[in-house]
Amino acid sequence: MKTRAAILWGQGQDWSVEEIELDPPKTGEVLIKLVGSGLCHSDEHLRTGDLTVPADVAQALSIHQYPVIGGHEGAGEVVEVGPGVTSVKPGDHVALSFMPACGKCPSCNSGRTNLCDVGAFLGLGMQPTDFTARHHSGAGQDLQISCFLGTFGEYTVASEMSVIKIDDDIPLEKAAVVGCGVTTGWGSAVYAAGVKAGDTAVIVGTGGIGMNAVQGAAMMGAENVIAVETVDWKREKAREFGATHTAASIEEAVQLVGEITRGRLADKVVISVGVADADLIAPAMSMTAKGGRVVHTAVAPLAQTEVKLDLTELTFWQRELVGTVFGSANPRYDIPRLLALYKAGKLKLDELVTNEYKLDDINRGYDDMYNGTNIRGFLRY
Ligand code: CXF
Ligand code: ZN
C-alpha cells in the first residue's frame, strides 16, 4: 500500500515527508494504522549522527545507516495480521513498545525483558522477524525504521514482539507516549533507582523522560523530589508532576540537597537529560548519600564518553552508578499497568504532551524541542 512517512536521508538533513510503499505484514508481523507519534529526542540523535550503528557493524551486516523512517512512540489500530500472530487481531487497539519482548530469550525469561536479546538489534533498522524491510521509498529503495517501528508515518508494519494490546477506552494518543518516554522515565525512578517511601530523589532534566521520573518518584512516596532543569517553565511544570523542590543547575541542586537533608544527601539521583553529559556524573555522585544510587538514562552520545570517578565514592561510600534502558521495565506488564494508572487518575499523561503537529510539520516539532518549548511534542495523523 501507499502511505506517507518522515524519512531521514542522511546525517544532518531535515526530516523529509514523502509517499512510501509499505508491504503487507509477513509471518509474526502486524499492520497498524497509527493515530500519531511522540517526538522523542532519540530520533533526533539519529539525525545528528549521535546515535548510529558503528560503521564496522553496519558493514558486517550489510546495512546502511540511512535512509531511515524515524519514530518509536506510537499507538493505533490493527488493520491486518500476518501468519502466526496470536496476541492481536484486526480492530484491536495497540501501543507499540520501542523495546520488543520476544519472550523466548534468557533476558525475557529471567525477568529482565528490557534487555530482550532481540532488542539488542533494534538499531539495525529492519524487521526483527527476518531482518528485511517492509518499508520502501517511492523509488523502491529499502527504508530502515527506528526501533523496529518507524512510527513517523500513518501506517506501519511491526513485529508482534513490539505490539501490546490495550483497552479500547484508552485514548490512543496517550498510549503512544507510554511506548518510550513515560515508561522509561517512570521505570528509571521506580525500578532502576528503586525510589522508596521517605526517600530524597533528585531528577536531573525534566523533558519527556525526566518528567515521568519525577512522577514515578512522587508515586513511590519520596519525601523530597528535587527537579533540576535549566528551562524555567519546565522547572515549574515539574511541581505539577510531584516535584517538591526545584534547582536551575546541578550545582544549585548539590547545595539544595545538602540543605534539605541536613547533610545526609539524596538516596537516589536519576540523570535523564536529552543529551548525555559526562560532567553531570561527578556532582550527581557527590550529592548521593552513603549506599545511594545514581541512575543514567541518556542514550546519546555515549561512545567514547569518558567519565572520571573517584573510586572512594563506590567503595567507602558504597554509592552505585548504574545505567538503565527502557527504565528496566517490562513492556507487556508495565505498558497496560501505566495506562490503568492513567485511567485511575494516578498518572499524568494529559499534561505531558505540550504541542501537537501535523506530520508535515515534524521539523518544526523538533525545533520546538530544542527551543525548550515542549515536554513532549506529538505528531497527530
Ligand atoms: C532509545 C534507546 C537507544 C536506541 C534507540 C532508542 N530509546 C528511546 O528513546
Ligand atoms: Zn524514545
Side-chain angles (χ1 to χ4, degrees), residues 5-297:
I7 304 170
L8 202 52
W9 284 94
Q11 183 174 334
Q13 297 189 18
D14 281 349
W15 295 97
S16 166
V17 178
E18 300 174 22
E19 189 173 83
I20 64 158
E21 186 65 39
L22 185 60
D23 296 341
K26 289 193 175 172
T27 301
E29 297 169 358
V30 183
L31 171 65
I32 301 139
K33 182 179 194 314
L34 294 162
V35 71
S37 176
L39 292 172
C40 177
H41 202 136
S42 298
D43 289 304
E44 262 300 289
H45 288 309
L46 286 179
R47 200 178 71 80
T48 58
D50 286 338
L51 188 64
T52 54
V53 180
D56 53 339
V57 175
Q59 200 174 6
L61 296 170
S62 305
I63 58 160
H64 304 279
Q65 189 62 52
Y66 308 103
V68 57
I69 299 175
H72 58 274
E73 270 191 1
E77 193 174 318
V78 174
V79 177
E80 186 185 337
V81 298
V85 171
T86 55
S87 61
V88 291
K89 57 181 186 321
D92 282 353
H93 286 194
V94 293
L96 301 182
S97 169
F98 94 75
M99 183 58 69
C102 76
K104 293 177 181 149
C105 72
S107 301
C108 281
N109 285 286
S110 62
R112 307 180 98 192
T113 318
N114 67 308
L115 300 178
C116 173
D117 286 4
V118 176
F121 296 99
L122 61 72
L124 299 188
M126 295 293 169
Q127 295 291 332
T129 41
D130 64 1
F131 290 100
T132 63
R134 300 298 159 267
H135 300 69
H136 316 277
S137 72
Q141 184 174 352
D142 284 354
L143 299 170
Q144 295 189 47
I145 48 174
S146 171
C147 299
F148 301 142
L149 298 175
T151 57
F152 291 167
E154 291 155 355
Y155 288 81
T156 197
V157 168
S159 153
E160 188 181 13
M161 292 183 267
S162 310
V163 174
I164 318 282
K165 183 173 165 16
I166 59 168
D167 291 346
D168 285 351
D169 59 351
I170 302 281
L172 286 167
E173 65 275 16
K174 309 298 174 216
V177 291
V178 177
C180 176
V182 173
T183 312
T184 299
W186 184 86
S188 296
V190 174
Y191 294 136
V195 173
K196 295 200 302 283
D199 273 357
T200 290
V202 181
I203 314 300
V204 185
T206 57
I209 308 287
M211 208 57 99
N212 292 293
V214 167
Q215 62 175 334
M219 199 185 282
M220 298 316 286
E223 181 192 353
N224 301 306
V225 180
I226 298 122
V228 187
E229 171 60 57
T230 53
V231 179
D232 293 353
W233 76 271
K234 283 183 174 176
R235 200 165 57 242
E236 285 317 304
K237 183 105 175 164
R239 292 184 187 272
E240 280 175 45
F241 285 80
T244 56
H245 302 75
T246 61
S249 68
I250 192 88
E251 294 78 17
E252 191 184 322
V254 171
Q255 172 89 18
L256 182 64
V257 167
E259 283 165 21
I260 60 183
T261 63
R262 289 187 299 268
R264 286 206 67 78
L265 306 181
D267 301 287
K268 314 285 160 48
V269 177
V270 177
I271 301 177
S272 43
V273 290
V275 179
D277 180 356
D279 292 340
L280 292 173
I281 303 293
M285 290 293 267
S286 77
M287 71 167 114
T288 302
K290 289 182 285 186
R293 184 178 292 179
V294 174
V295 173
H296 188 259
T297 72

